[in-house]
Amino acid sequence: MNMEIHNLGGRPVIVGSGIAGLMTALHLAPEPVILLSRTQLGADASSTWAQGGLAASLGSDDEPSLHLADTLAAGDGLCDADIARRIVQAAPAAIEDLARRGVRFDRTPEGMLLLGLEAAHSRRRIVHAGGDGSGREIMRALVAGVRSTPSITIIEGVEARRLAVEDNAIAGVLACCPTGPLFFGTGRVVLATGGIGGLFLDSTNPSGSCGQGLTLAARAGAALADLEFIQFHPTALDGPDRPMPLISEAVRGEGATIVDETGQRFLEGVPGAELAARDVVARAIWKHLSNGHRAFLNVREKPGPTFARQFPTIASACRSAGVDPARGLIPIRPAQHYHMGGVAVDGAGRTSVQGLWACGEVASTGLHGANRLASNSLTEAVVCARCVADSVASSPCGQRKPAIAGDQPSPDPMDLRPLLSRALGVVREGEGLKASIRGLLPLAAASDPAAIGLMIAIAAMQRQESRGAHYRTDFPHRAAVARRSELTLDAAVVAAQDVACSLPLEEAI
Ligand code: SIN
């Protein structure tokens, strides 16, 4: 099959059309950019599904230092405090910027922004749009903005499959579309490809989000950071649908409680109860389910009669699942929701490969540490998109002539979901991680999901402690010193070969 080759004359390529990708393209205007999207703009982006909004210290009782303190506490010792400070300080202006771009945030009759509460926030500081339809409304405004910006060339229906790299510098993007392979020659690429939920059986993410940006970066030689930290949302609607409908934490912020089949509020004894940090609530529910109980959200008393009006998307998901929240309880279970780890970036979004930036969930800025504070991720995407755009704009667009490789590993994660869900779930343990590594190693050269699954499993095996969202039954305590982790694909393969050479426990005895 012939490959179409496009020389972009130095224009940067943005891969991904969620909030991070769209905002980066808008900030770069009027510099010409190419925006690659697998589907129609935003159609398969997690951003579109976001119910929670953006966290920002906007209340009269709030200030960035309080937002920072909550972020650092949730991050369990692993946040980069300087990055976190910069992001929370920039958050209020980022919301104003979105409003200027046409996002219709929820407001009081007097026109003030309505501020919601979510777990582990000490103040009401979550800005929503359309109740629980924040992502949809933000994407509506940004897609319209991007479509009407002449400097942005949108190419839809194209999937980036490899980055061409020469001497540790980006030389182009190899992509696929229904008519065959394409090559975009460029020295500047921004990854904004979202998360990894598609690697799991139970996730609240679109199933097409399976870590493509991570593998693009990893196969290009970039360092990835904190991969072992995966956030499980405590309250996904426990019905037959996959991906699982999310029941926003904002519902608990309005007073909903978590009960079991006997009506007992089993989180009552946990500090913070239903509004404890997300990892704490997810583990408590997981444990209760593992002990043979069921878990439900009770919204009948609070928020009560206003539930369906405040949370129309969730009310509709309940109706589709045959649940009437006004009369009955909503069945819930934890589901993969967000990846704190990602491509290691500096404050300008630069990765360890020259000419490669990452923004949004695919990036690991250090804001989230071991456990993301609710609604900090959209804020991060919007704030960091500006830093990335400034950095891209001020970087030379030097072009290289790459050797274009033809092999494109398979992106289909379906067969791997059971293995990855078992080994890398809410609760992990060493032998399970090693078994997954032995299973993934032989597949990693030919399968992108196996390669990224392998890297996450190695990071989880090497972190011999429990911290934030990473909980190991064989190392249930925090280590004395908090260290972020960093890994390249080559280093992960070497570590996996060591594991493969060591005998599984049952064969050693
Ligand atoms: C939620 O609304 O519970 C999710 C918000 C988030 O993940 O930040």
Side-chain angles (χ1 to χ4, degrees):
M1 195 179 279
N2 286 338
M3 182 173 318
E4 258 183 62
I5 301 197
H6 300 260
N7 190 326
L8 301 182
R11 279 179 290 172
V13 172
I14 298 171
V15 184
S17 62
I19 289 174
L22 299 183
M23 282 301 283
T24 304
L26 287 166
H27 282 309
L28 272 164
E31 170 159 357
V33 296
I34 307 292
L35 182 63
L36 298 187
S37 177
R38 253 189 332 213
T39 57
Q40 240 196 350
L41 276 195
D44 71 342
S46 308
S47 300
T48 309
W49 292 13
Q51 294 181 1
L54 296 97
S57 53
L58 291 156
S60 55
D61 61 346
D62 204 1
E63 51 182 82
S65 64
L66 297 174
H67 187 181
L68 178 64
D70 292 344
T71 299
L72 300 183
D76 206 2
L78 224 63
C79 298
D80 180 322
D82 289 334
I83 293 284
R85 185 173 302 105
R86 273 181 41 195
I87 291 176
V88 301
Q89 280 175 347
I95 285 165
E96 270 173 40
D97 181 28
L98 286 176
R100 266 197 309 275
R101 291 178 189 277
V103 177
R104 297 182 290 239
F105 288 115
D106 296 342
R107 293 180 185 270
T108 64
E110 296 73 42
M112 305 294 287
L113 288 166
L114 271 175
L115 300 177
L117 181 67
E118 288 181 357
H121 284 274
S122 59
R123 296 288 188 278
R124 284 192 165 263
R125 64 167 73 96
I126 318 300
V127 179
H128 288 93
D132 55 9
S134 305
R136 208 167 41 240
E137 166 57 14
I138 298 169
M139 288 295 288
R140 179 202 61 73
L142 297 186
V143 167
V146 162
R147 288 207 187 278
S148 61
T149 301
S151 58
I152 304 173
T153 303
I154 303 162
I155 307 183
E156 291 164 298
V158 168
E159 183 172 27
R161 298 288 287 274
R162 276 289 188 99
L163 297 175
V165 178
E166 295 289 316
D167 300 329
N168 196 41
I170 289 295
V173 180
L174 188 62
C176 272
C177 74
T179 53
L182 303 161
F183 183 79
F184 299 95
T186 178
R188 294 178 296 170
V189 171
V190 179
L191 297 176
T193 48
I196 59 166
L199 299 177
F200 289 79
L201 291 168
D202 292 347
S203 172
T204 62
N205 296 176
S207 48
S209 295
C210 35
Q212 292 90 339
L214 297 181
T215 30
L216 286 172
R219 290 198 191 278
L224 274 46
D226 295 344
L227 289 176
E228 61 277 33
F229 294 106
I230 297 172
Q231 184 166 74
F232 291 82
H233 198 290
T235 58
L237 177 59
D238 188 10
D241 286 347
R242 295 293 177 278
M244 296 172 81
L246 177 69
I247 304 181
S248 173
E249 214 158 54
V251 177
R252 278 174 280 139
E254 295 303 314
T257 54
I258 292 173
V259 297
D260 65 13
E261 69 287 355
T262 68
Q264 189 210 343
R265 263 183 79 187
F266 57 93
L267 275 141
E268 239 170 357
V270 173
E274 279 87 353
L275 289 178
R278 218 168 252 188
D279 60 315
V280 174
V281 180
R283 268 195 303 280
I285 296 178
W286 182 263
K287 191 164 159 220
H288 215 57
L289 294 175
S290 307
N291 289 338
H293 293 281
R294 296 200 61 198
F296 301 90
L297 205 56
N298 179 5
V299 303
R300 289 177 303 206
E301 286 79 37
K302 281 187 185 169
T306 59
F307 172 75
R309 184 163 44 78
Q310 279 180 286
F311 303 104
T313 310
I314 302 171
S316 147
C318 288
R319 267 195 307 279
S320 306
V323 176
D324 176 3
R327 294 199 173 74
L329 298 169
I330 308 172
I332 50 164
R333 64 185 294 114
Q336 190 285 343
H337 182 61
Y338 188 82
H339 195 196
M340 275 72 76
V343 187
V345 294
D346 66 10
R350 284 181 293 237
T351 71
S352 59
V353 173
Q354 194 193 321
L356 182 64
W357 289 258
C359 187
E361 186 170 353
V362 68
S364 177
T365 61
L367 169 69
H368 306 305
N371 181 39
R372 177 181 64 106
L373 186 66
S375 288
N376 260 357
S377 44
L378 295 189
T379 302
E380 179 192 46
V382 176
V383 170
C384 292
R386 175 174 284 284
C387 308
V388 169
D390 289 347
S391 174
V392 171
S394 61
S395 299
C397 54
Q399 271 204 270
R400 289 154 190 268
K401 262 221 151 350
I404 304 172
D407 59 325
Q408 296 176 21
S410 153
D412 186 357
M414 185 121 95
D415 294 346
L416 294 175
R417 284 184 189 137
L419 179 152
L420 295 172
S421 303
R422 217 172 23 251
L424 296 168
V426 177
V427 171
R428 303 156 175 189
E429 55 83 36
E431 285 308 315
L433 289 167
K434 286 183 186 165
S436 73
I437 290 163
R438 289 188 191 99
L440 292 165
L441 179 60
L443 309 174
S447 152
D448 277 354
I452 204 60
L454 181 72
M455 291 185 77
I456 299 172
I458 291 289
M461 182 196 71
Q462 290 179 341
R463 185 169 290 279
Q464 299 192 333
E465 63 165 342
S466 289
R467 182 183 294 276
H470 171 72
Y471 183 83
R472 284 190 52 170
T473 51
D474 48 349
F475 292 96
H477 302 295
R478 279 202 317 187
V481 180
R483 280 203 190 86
R484 296 188 62 197
S485 67
E486 219 172 84
L487 200 58
T488 60
L489 182 54
D490 286 350
V493 167
V494 170
Q497 283 161 346
D498 279 352
V499 172
C501 290
S502 66
L503 282 179
L505 197 59
E506 64 273 18
E507 284 174 35
I509 335 178

